[in-house]
Amino acid sequence: MHLIDPPKAAPFVETALRTLREEVTPETAVLGFVGCPYTLATYLVEGKTSKEYLEIKKMAFTEPDLLHAILKNLAESIGEYALYQIEA
């Protein structure tokens, strides 16, 4: 896995946030969104939403280093994406 480059991966987000900020008053909060690393990892590992989360639980016990690496990468990427939204 590699870290995301938000301007390349989602340039439309910057456009949307800038347009929205132009349309609202300065007193109006414009909120962005990021997902939680564990939630995103679950989708990556399970391949879909899940009620039992069997695959990611199995990974936590059988391949904890891999799961940790995935979570670390996602956390760093989410941080970059959040900063991208703030700076937009």
Side-chain angles (χ1 to χ4, degrees):
M1 289 180 66
H2 62 279
L3 294 178
I4 65 164
D5 181 359
K8 286 185 181 177
F12 55 89
V13 171
E14 180 179 8
T15 302
L17 289 173
R18 286 186 188 277
T19 301
L20 184 57
R21 284 196 181 104
E22 291 171 2
E23 297 293 324
V24 298
T25 64
E27 298 82 25
T28 304
V30 175
L31 303 177
F33 176 79
V34 296
C36 168
Y38 187 80
T39 302
L40 297 177
T42 298
Y43 289 126
L44 286 170
V45 174
E46 300 285 336
K48 61 183 180 195
T49 189
S50 174
K51 291 184 180 183
E52 291 84 23
Y53 305 102
L54 298 176
E55 296 303 318
I56 199 153
K57 288 177 184 176
K58 186 181 349 175
M59 180 182 276
F61 286 103
T62 62
E63 300 182 74
D65 292 340
L66 175 59
L67 180 56
H68 180 76
I70 291 170
L71 291 170
K72 182 177 183 221
N73 180 284
L74 287 171
E76 291 174 7
S77 290
I78 289 166
E80 289 297 315
Y81 185 58
L83 288 173
Y84 170 65
Q85 291 181 54
I86 291 165
E87 293 170 354

